[in-house]
Amino acid sequence: MDISRRGLLQTSLAAGIATAFTFASTSAANAAPAARDAFGRIVPARLTGHDPVSLRWLEDGVPSQLTAGTTWGVPWPKGALAPDQSFTLVAESGASVPVQTWPTGWWPDGSVKWTAHAVASSAERSTTYSLQPGTAAAPAAPVTVTENPGKVVVDTGVVTVEFPRNGKSIVSVIRRGNTVIAEEGRLVAGRQNVPDTDAGDKIDNEWFQGDVGEVVVEQSGPVRAVIRVKGTHKKGKRSWLPFDLRFYLYAGSDGIRVVHTFVFDGDENKDFINGLGIRCTVPLAAQLHDRHVRFAGAGHGVLGEAVRGITGQRRDPGAAARNAQIAGTWTPDPATWDQRVTSRLQWIPAFGDYSLSQLTAHGFEIRKRTSAGHSWIRADGGTRSRGLAYVGTPGGGLAFGMRNFWQLHPTELEITGASTDKATATVWMWSPRAEAMDLRFYHDGLGQDTYEKQLDALEITYEDYEPGFGTPYGVARTTELSFWALGATPSAADFSAMADAAATPPLLVSSPQHNHSAGVFGSWAPVDRSNFAKTTIEDKLAFMHSWYVQQVDQRSWYGFWDYGDVMHDFDRDRHVWRYDVGGYAWDNSELSTDMWLWYHYLRTGDAAAFRFAEAMTRHTGEVDVYHLGKWADLGTRHGIMHWGDSAKQQRISNAGYRRFYYFLTADERVGDLMRDLVDADKTFLVLDPSRKIRTDAYDPQPEALSVSTTTDWGALALAWLAEWERNGDPIAQAKLVNGAKTIAALPNGWAQGGTPRYNLTDGTFGEETEKTVSVGSLDSVFGLIELMTELIDLIDDPQVTEQWVNYCRLYNGTSAEQAAVTGVSWGSQNLRQAYSRATAYAAHQLGDTTLAKRAWKEFRTGHAGYAEGLAFTSTRIDGPTVLNPVDDAPFGTNASAQYGLAAIQCLALVGDQI
């Protein structure tokens, strides 16, 4: 059944929501009616202002190169600033830097909660900046956007880019002044009917081109413009592989950043992708010896060549000619060379085709040939390319590349036709030189054709298998690309700096201290080593995090579909993660790994922590979630294949795991992912998460859905919270508050048993009169604790606060304490270390030092986690015991994520009682 959220709003919102919720911040209930701006947003009555905020580069120091520019987010305390507050950005020199600002989040009182800011690569670079209320400096040449019926044109003042509104070209032309640098920018995708491993001579290949369906201007300057292009790949009558591109262009910059997303909507048994790329044509108006090719290797390495080389030949053209070709500048007139070379230039082969292919995370190869129909020769190779190439002349050319190039293998950068008037430059996100993409399920079901057999198999492999549920239909991947329309061939040093920027885009950040003072993201605090007990925990947190970062490389957790995730649990006999054991393999956000990593960054401000969490956010929000099809908006539980497990649930697609990255970077793609989940509650009409264990008759109806008040509701509510913060769909705010209030109205609140039914229309839960209990250990470890910490402060509802504090206090409480409040003992609960942070929250809310000490006792005891006496150390394991040297440690990802979250929140809430 497909229920439109808009349809529900039109038919039921007035009746269902208006009676359950009146829009107003409860804390301001007695205030005068709120004034609103033209968009219906509350205009705060009183503002306190804010001191300047210091910003630094995430990786520290001053980056020598940006791509096109950089965009970042900054939080602000409640009541400090109005949403229309303008800002000025001041460099260390005192100069005011042109900056574009827009709000991305609001507090309930209407004051701004988050702002996003953008500066161009042409702006003055400084070690630190000061961001403060004021009037922004205007860029010398603002970026402009012109919309015509047939195209959208963006002019940065340096380059002009044209976006056709339909057709095969996503970009028709890129000009620098009067010079065409590139044209016919297009998407290509190849498929074959069988996988390489089973093919024999039966492979049928076909190639598809991207077809533009929609072009939208999302921002139009003055510093930053964002153009969104959507469509599908087409050939003949078939249209598939939807794409969604965003182009970012900045004032005064010749760089273009592109965020590329595609969704797999084929048949995994028939559609094997053997190439996925973005390419364009590069005109070359120069002699063959003045045409240049560049590739970035590892470290600072650069391979620089000319299409027709004049160095190393039997005859020497002269130092001036040789030096110019190596430098990438115009060579002197050949008439001034040694004529023994000039008269024989036609005999020197021109190498028009080049390829850098990174088919594994551990090695790349560069090959070249004169043209199609001739053999490739090996030019060079290396370990991990930074993923940038260039083709052009001293009169201009195109640099093109891909972020996380080696991490997302198999990838390739290809140049063809450089010996003709027009070269073709292609970024291959899936290299045609690799085996075709094989997304089929990894086993045949092993006879698990009934729920009974599937549940029995779950007892051994921990894999929740179900026929037909291991499909990749609807999963996605997002890739970040960089292009520069250059006025000349870059020097080796400049090209290397560009490669660094493409591989690790510089980002401005505010400090942990400022972010914490703004009161965002609930209970956390910057690193505190003020006493021995705190230092001990901080050391453990630091060690555990760094060990996981190390594991990514030691275990080679890389690849197009895998990079960004970590494994779930460890096999200590084989000294490997359980990559081949059912539900113990890829983690897929189980028990909030994403949240742990983001809170670790918030506390430390560490660049490695940010990049680790960023890669996970890019992965888990795309690969582990369905974006099309009957399971759209659902995520998949942990398993050998990211989409293989039959448990399709909200707890994995959880917007709360993406929210950090969105507000810290203003990333529009992640914003889309969160907004998609606003109506994810409709999935409960399509798929019952409890279908395999349900004993009652259940017919899902919109007004009476089986949605748990904890794991399910918490994930839904985090999407609604993000949408409310962003001033989006009003139903999100209504459902969020309705849900919290009606759960709190149950006799035992979040511990209530029975079957309170959820109403899809207004987000309310039905009434229950009997005081029963149903509590599970997984109830609150998928973001519910973190959600409620924020929500209680936002809505300030006494009954919600009381019921949630009771739940937090009682989970690890005694049977007598539980029975006294809820009428019955809660039984033997698991994950008691994880829930020590719930105890800490209750202690903090109640001002109860005895409860605070209990929280620390629970934490140190380490039930289902890491006890105080566990040594946070690693052991080096070398061959022949293992294939490659690795460092083993006594960790599993469930326990690590929950230990991290418990430690962070206990330190923030009851650190004074440690």
Side-chain angles (χ1 to χ4, degrees), residues 21 29 140 177 365-366 430 459 626 658 757 765 798 838 891 904:
F21 174 69
E365 185 173 65
I366 300 176
W430 187 280
E459 291 297 318
Y626 289 103
R658 333 285 173 226
R757 293 301 192 215
F765 283 87
F891 300 140
I904 289 166

Side-chain angles (χ1 to χ4, degrees), residues 432-449:
R433 301 180 198 281
E435 287 188 0
M437 193 185 293
D438 190 346
L439 306 183
R440 296 173 296 174
F441 195 65
Y442 78 99
H443 71 70
D444 61 5
L446 307 176
Q448 299 172 41
D449 55 350

Side-chain angles (χ1 to χ4, degrees), residues 289-290 317 321 330-339 342 345:
H289 53 266
D290 280 331
W330 292 109
T331 56
D333 187 338
T336 66
W337 301 2
D338 186 320
Q339 291 304 293
T342 303
L345 280 175

Side-chain angles (χ1 to χ4, degrees), residues 288-302:
L288 294 175
H289 53 266
D290 280 331
R291 301 181 186 184
H292 307 125
V293 170
R294 300 286 185 266
F295 288 104
H300 300 294
V302 173

Side-chain angles (χ1 to χ4, degrees), residues 6 9 13 17 21 723 727-735:
R6 296 298 170 190
L9 275 169
L13 182 58
I17 293 180
F21 174 69
E723 188 72 359
N727 253 329
D729 197 325
I731 197 173
Q733 178 191 357
K735 284 189 173 183

